[in-house]
Amino acid sequence: MKSSVYIVLVLIVLASLFSCKTSKTTLPNTAKTVAQGDPVRIANDKLEYEVIIIDPGFSTWLVSTALPRNYYSQNYLENKNRIWVSEWNSRVLQPMRYNPNLYEMTINYDPNVDYGYEVNYLIYNYMVYFQNRYKQKLFGHVPLR
């Protein structure tokens, strides 16, 4: 059975704030070309996991603002992801307390599984982007970018 990690955020209200024009850019260290506002997808077919991030502005932020790959160790990324995903999932289950338009669905992230560097890199950077963009604080220090 194929296991998947999905991060899917569709922010319809915020999407209307962004222009319909797209610009093509290439993600560093990948052969993928993405348009601004397009989903960011990374798949590890060997491990049968994938991450899909749909959030207007994230692909542009990832290319222009995120620190480069290999800046942080995989262990560091896994530790931050474990904490932030746990808090994220807790907020999904509390829609009366936290905005259900921001926390739409849980993230299936098992800290006992080695997802590889790229999956952890994307999840980590989405969490940094999300916390800064939407003025949320999941837990601990959030780098300002």
Side-chain angles (χ1 to χ4, degrees):
M1 178 177 199
K2 184 176 180 178
S3 299
S4 297
V5 175
Y6 289 100
I7 299 176
V8 180
L9 293 174
V10 180
L11 302 169
I12 298 170
V13 175
L14 294 175
S16 65
L17 298 175
F18 293 93
S19 171
C20 293
K21 294 180 182 177
T22 60
S23 61
K24 294 286 182 178
T25 55
T26 303
L27 292 174
N29 298 333
T30 67
K32 297 181 181 186
T33 301
V34 297
Q36 179 181 354
D38 283 351
V40 173
R41 178 183 179 272
I42 191 74
N44 184 335
D45 295 330
K46 180 180 175 186
L47 296 175
E48 298 181 352
Y49 296 103
E50 69 179 349
V51 175
I52 300 172
I53 301 171
I54 303 172
D55 192 334
F58 176 65
S59 59
T60 301
W61 181 90
L62 184 63
V63 172
S64 65
T65 308
L67 292 175
R69 284 162 177 77
N70 298 317
Y71 184 84
Y72 294 114
S73 69
Q74 183 172 336
N75 187 49
Y76 176 84
L77 298 175
E78 289 170 342
N79 288 332
K80 293 298 267 189
N81 289 343
R82 179 181 46 80
I83 294 166
W84 287 345
V85 167
S86 177
E87 179 61 23
W88 175 286
N89 288 340
S90 174
R91 292 180 183 199
V92 169
L93 300 174
Q94 301 176 60
M96 299 302 280
R97 185 171 180 195
Y98 297 102
N99 186 343
N101 293 322
L102 291 178
Y103 302 98
E104 293 183 5
M105 62 185 349
T106 59
I107 300 169
N108 181 17
Y109 183 84
D110 182 351
N112 297 315
V113 173
D114 180 8
Y115 295 106
Y117 190 87
E118 191 67 14
V119 170
N120 280 291
Y121 176 80
L122 283 176
I123 292 171
Y124 171 81
N125 277 295
Y126 182 73
M127 292 295 177
V128 170
Y129 167 81
F130 173 83
Q131 291 177 85
N132 285 307
R133 172 78 171 97
Y134 301 107
K135 297 179 180 30
Q136 302 291 303
K137 187 162 184 167
L138 294 173
F139 186 81
H141 173 71
V142 179
L144 295 176
R145 293 196 183 90

